[in-house]
């Protein structure tokens, strides 16, 4: 049986002046989780939202919130993001001096640990600690901005990660982030992704978010 494909709308594409309305709308539209992009202006050349915004939105939804930390040494903030309501804490392999210790800190704070890989980082970067990782986030654009085009050359990395996990006999949730829309989601799903982050692909879908979420979820063969 094919796995349930989870859709994680990225709030970066929401209307920040009416964030509460956007959150209610994506929950009603059938989203499985919420993707919350945190950027520090250092790991990536952009600055977005952080702990006070997470605290403000937490009471508005029951959906799990995935905090995508595009931040240098993100584990410094694990406890604060956990207290603010994060469920999944996705940290970049490239941003951590000691990835294993950073994952331990994430779990100690009570969150699921995700590891994100920038386009230039190979799947092999996480092979040594694969059994410690519950979820991987393959960046299919350079992190930093929404609305960029999907990089099809990342499809091979998705499949490599799926095969690595199978060989190791470990459960690994594979998520993808960047340029995921109806016309790119199918390839990502067929390559092995089971969670699809989508910002502009969901929020700007011409037929509305419910139709967009369903179309992206069902885009695989
Ligand atoms: C980019 C962020 C993404 C972004 C995706 O660095 O990590 O989550 O919001 O936006 P779309 O889906 O529009 O490419
Ligand atoms: Zn993201």
């Amino acid at each position: 049986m094919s796995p349930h494909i989870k859709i994680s709308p990225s709030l970066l594409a929401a209307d920040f002046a009416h964030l509460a309305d956007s959150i209610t709308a994506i929950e009603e539209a059938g989203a499985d989780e919420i993707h919350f992009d945190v950027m520090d202006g250092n790991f990536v050349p952009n600055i977005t939202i952080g702990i006070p915004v997470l605290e403000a939105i937490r009471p508005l939804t029951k959906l799990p919130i995935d905090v995508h930390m595009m931040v240098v040494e993100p584990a410094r903030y694990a406890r604060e993001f956990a207290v603010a309501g994060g469920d999944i804490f996705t940290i970049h392999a490239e941003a951590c001096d000691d990835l294993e210790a950073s994952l331990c800190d994430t779990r100690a704070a009570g969150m699921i640990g995700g590891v994100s890989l920038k386009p230039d980082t190979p799947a092999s970067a996480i092979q040594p600690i694969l059994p410690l990782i519950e979820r991987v986030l393959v960046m299919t654009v350079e992190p930093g901005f929404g609305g960029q085009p999907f990089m099809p050359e990342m499809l091979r990395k998705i499949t490599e990660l799926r095969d690595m996990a199978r060989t190791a006999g470990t459960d690994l949730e594979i998520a993808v982030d960047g340029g995921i829309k109806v016309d790119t989601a199918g390839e990502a799903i067929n390559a092995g992704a089971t969670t699809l982050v989508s910002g502009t692909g969901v929020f700007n879908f011409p037929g509305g978010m419910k139709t967009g979420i369903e179309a992206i979820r069902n885009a695989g063969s």
Side-chain angles (χ1 to χ4, degrees), residues 104-132:
C104 284
D105 291 348
T106 298
R107 289 225 186 77
M111 295 181 288
I112 291 170
V115 175
S116 186
L117 304 176
K118 287 171 73 173
D120 285 343
T121 306
S124 58
I126 56 167
Q127 180 133 40
I129 58 163
L130 200 59
L132 299 176

Short mmCIF file of all heavy atoms in Angstrom, two decimals, residues 104-132:
data_model
loop_
_atom_site.label_atom_id
_atom_site.label_comp_id
_atom_site.label_asym_id
_atom_site.label_seq_id
_atom_site.Cartn_x
_atom_site.Cartn_y
_atom_site.Cartn_z
N CYS A 104 20.33 15.26 19.95
CA CYS A 104 20.07 14.85 21.35
C CYS A 104 19.39 15.99 22.10
O CYS A 104 18.43 15.78 22.85
CB CYS A 104 21.37 14.50 22.07
SG CYS A 104 21.99 12.90 21.59
N ASP A 105 19.88 17.21 21.90
CA ASP A 105 19.28 18.37 22.57
C ASP A 105 17.84 18.56 22.12
O ASP A 105 16.96 18.93 22.92
CB ASP A 105 20.07 19.65 22.25
CG ASP A 105 21.45 19.64 22.88
OD1 ASP A 105 21.71 18.77 23.74
OD2 ASP A 105 22.29 20.50 22.50
N THR A 106 17.59 18.31 20.84
CA THR A 106 16.24 18.45 20.29
C THR A 106 15.29 17.47 20.97
O THR A 106 14.19 17.84 21.41
CB THR A 106 16.26 18.18 18.76
OG1 THR A 106 17.10 19.16 18.14
CG2 THR A 106 14.88 18.22 18.16
N ARG A 107 15.73 16.21 21.09
CA ARG A 107 14.89 15.18 21.74
C ARG A 107 14.71 15.46 23.21
O ARG A 107 13.62 15.29 23.75
CB ARG A 107 15.52 13.81 21.58
CG ARG A 107 15.44 13.36 20.19
CD ARG A 107 15.01 11.94 20.03
NE ARG A 107 15.13 11.69 18.60
CZ ARG A 107 16.31 11.47 18.02
NH1 ARG A 107 17.40 11.36 18.72
NH2 ARG A 107 16.35 11.33 16.72
N ALA A 108 15.79 15.92 23.84
CA ALA A 108 15.71 16.22 25.28
C ALA A 108 14.68 17.33 25.52
O ALA A 108 14.05 17.38 26.58
CB ALA A 108 17.08 16.63 25.82
N ALA A 109 14.51 18.19 24.53
CA ALA A 109 13.52 19.27 24.67
C ALA A 109 12.11 18.77 24.38
O ALA A 109 11.14 19.51 24.54
CB ALA A 109 13.88 20.42 23.73
N GLY A 110 11.98 17.52 23.90
CA GLY A 110 10.66 16.93 23.70
C GLY A 110 10.13 17.02 22.29
O GLY A 110 8.93 16.85 22.05
N MET A 111 11.01 17.31 21.32
CA MET A 111 10.54 17.44 19.94
C MET A 111 11.10 16.31 19.08
O MET A 111 12.12 15.69 19.41
CB MET A 111 10.98 18.79 19.35
CG MET A 111 10.34 19.98 20.06
SD MET A 111 10.83 21.57 19.34
CE MET A 111 12.53 21.70 19.88
N ILE A 112 10.44 16.06 17.95
CA ILE A 112 10.97 15.13 16.95
C ILE A 112 12.11 15.84 16.23
O ILE A 112 11.99 17.01 15.87
CB ILE A 112 9.86 14.73 15.95
CG1 ILE A 112 8.81 13.87 16.66
CG2 ILE A 112 10.42 14.04 14.72
CD1 ILE A 112 7.57 13.61 15.84
N GLY A 113 13.19 15.12 16.02
CA GLY A 113 14.35 15.73 15.38
C GLY A 113 14.37 15.49 13.88
O GLY A 113 14.37 14.35 13.43
N GLY A 114 14.39 16.56 13.11
CA GLY A 114 14.54 16.46 11.67
C GLY A 114 15.88 17.03 11.25
O GLY A 114 16.40 17.93 11.91
N VAL A 115 16.43 16.49 10.17
CA VAL A 115 17.70 17.03 9.65
C VAL A 115 17.47 17.47 8.22
O VAL A 115 16.97 16.70 7.39
CB VAL A 115 18.82 15.97 9.69
CG1 VAL A 115 20.08 16.52 9.02
CG2 VAL A 115 19.12 15.57 11.12
N SER A 116 17.82 18.72 7.94
CA SER A 116 17.65 19.24 6.59
C SER A 116 19.00 19.31 5.86
O SER A 116 20.03 19.57 6.48
CB SER A 116 17.01 20.63 6.64
OG SER A 116 16.72 21.06 5.33
N LEU A 117 18.94 19.05 4.55
CA LEU A 117 20.15 19.07 3.72
C LEU A 117 19.99 20.11 2.61
O LEU A 117 19.01 20.06 1.84
CB LEU A 117 20.38 17.69 3.09
CG LEU A 117 20.48 16.50 4.04
CD1 LEU A 117 20.61 15.19 3.25
CD2 LEU A 117 21.68 16.66 4.98
N LYS A 118 20.94 21.04 2.54
CA LYS A 118 20.95 22.00 1.44
C LYS A 118 21.25 21.26 0.13
O LYS A 118 21.80 20.15 0.16
CB LYS A 118 22.02 23.07 1.70
CG LYS A 118 21.64 24.05 2.80
CD LYS A 118 22.79 24.94 3.18
CE LYS A 118 23.07 25.98 2.13
NZ LYS A 118 24.11 26.96 2.59
N PRO A 119 20.97 21.87 -1.02
CA PRO A 119 21.18 21.17 -2.30
C PRO A 119 22.59 20.61 -2.49
O PRO A 119 22.75 19.53 -3.06
CB PRO A 119 20.84 22.24 -3.34
CG PRO A 119 19.81 23.08 -2.66
CD PRO A 119 20.24 23.15 -1.22
N ASP A 120 23.61 21.30 -2.01
CA ASP A 120 24.98 20.81 -2.23
C ASP A 120 25.42 19.74 -1.23
O ASP A 120 26.51 19.20 -1.36
CB ASP A 120 25.98 21.98 -2.16
CG ASP A 120 25.92 22.83 -3.41
OD1 ASP A 120 25.36 22.35 -4.43
OD2 ASP A 120 26.42 23.97 -3.38
N THR A 121 24.61 19.47 -0.23
CA THR A 121 25.00 18.47 0.78
C THR A 121 24.50 17.10 0.36
O THR A 121 23.30 16.90 0.16
CB THR A 121 24.40 18.86 2.16
OG1 THR A 121 24.80 20.19 2.46
CG2 THR A 121 24.88 17.91 3.25
N PRO A 122 25.41 16.13 0.23
CA PRO A 122 24.99 14.80 -0.25
C PRO A 122 24.26 14.01 0.82
O PRO A 122 24.41 14.26 2.02
CB PRO A 122 26.32 14.12 -0.60
CG PRO A 122 27.34 14.80 0.25
CD PRO A 122 26.86 16.21 0.48
N ALA A 123 23.50 13.03 0.37
CA ALA A 123 22.80 12.13 1.30
C ALA A 123 23.78 11.44 2.24
O ALA A 123 23.48 11.22 3.42
CB ALA A 123 22.02 11.08 0.50
N SER A 124 24.98 11.16 1.73
CA SER A 124 25.97 10.44 2.54
C SER A 124 26.38 11.21 3.80
O SER A 124 26.91 10.61 4.74
CB SER A 124 27.21 10.14 1.70
OG SER A 124 27.75 11.35 1.20
N ALA A 125 26.10 12.53 3.84
CA ALA A 125 26.49 13.33 5.01
C ALA A 125 25.83 12.82 6.29
O ALA A 125 26.37 12.99 7.39
CB ALA A 125 26.12 14.80 4.78
N ILE A 126 24.65 12.20 6.15
CA ILE A 126 23.96 11.75 7.37
C ILE A 126 24.01 10.24 7.56
O ILE A 126 23.47 9.71 8.53
CB ILE A 126 22.49 12.24 7.43
CG1 ILE A 126 21.70 11.80 6.20
CG2 ILE A 126 22.44 13.75 7.63
CD1 ILE A 126 20.19 11.97 6.37
N GLN A 127 24.67 9.55 6.63
CA GLN A 127 24.70 8.08 6.73
C GLN A 127 25.19 7.57 8.09
O GLN A 127 24.57 6.67 8.66
CB GLN A 127 25.57 7.50 5.61
CG GLN A 127 25.65 5.99 5.66
CD GLN A 127 25.41 5.36 4.31
OE1 GLN A 127 25.88 5.87 3.30
NE2 GLN A 127 24.67 4.29 4.27
N PRO A 128 26.28 8.13 8.62
CA PRO A 128 26.80 7.57 9.88
C PRO A 128 25.81 7.64 11.05
O PRO A 128 25.90 6.84 11.97
CB PRO A 128 28.04 8.43 10.18
CG PRO A 128 28.41 9.07 8.88
CD PRO A 128 27.14 9.21 8.11
N ILE A 129 24.90 8.62 11.00
CA ILE A 129 23.99 8.75 12.15
C ILE A 129 22.53 8.50 11.74
O ILE A 129 21.60 8.88 12.45
CB ILE A 129 24.14 10.12 12.86
CG1 ILE A 129 23.88 11.27 11.87
CG2 ILE A 129 25.50 10.26 13.51
CD1 ILE A 129 23.62 12.58 12.60
N LEU A 130 22.35 7.81 10.62
CA LEU A 130 20.99 7.57 10.11
C LEU A 130 20.02 6.99 11.14
O LEU A 130 18.88 7.45 11.24
CB LEU A 130 21.07 6.67 8.88
CG LEU A 130 19.87 6.70 7.95
CD1 LEU A 130 19.63 8.10 7.39
CD2 LEU A 130 20.08 5.72 6.80
N PRO A 131 20.42 6.00 11.93
CA PRO A 131 19.47 5.43 12.89
C PRO A 131 18.98 6.44 13.94
O PRO A 131 17.96 6.21 14.58
CB PRO A 131 20.27 4.30 13.56
CG PRO A 131 21.39 4.01 12.62
CD PRO A 131 21.71 5.30 11.94
N LEU A 132 19.70 7.54 14.09
CA LEU A 132 19.30 8.54 15.09
C LEU A 132 18.30 9.55 14.52
O LEU A 132 17.76 10.39 15.24
CB LEU A 132 20.52 9.34 15.57
CG LEU A 132 21.63 8.57 16.24
CD1 LEU A 132 22.80 9.50 16.54
CD2 LEU A 132 21.10 7.95 17.53
#
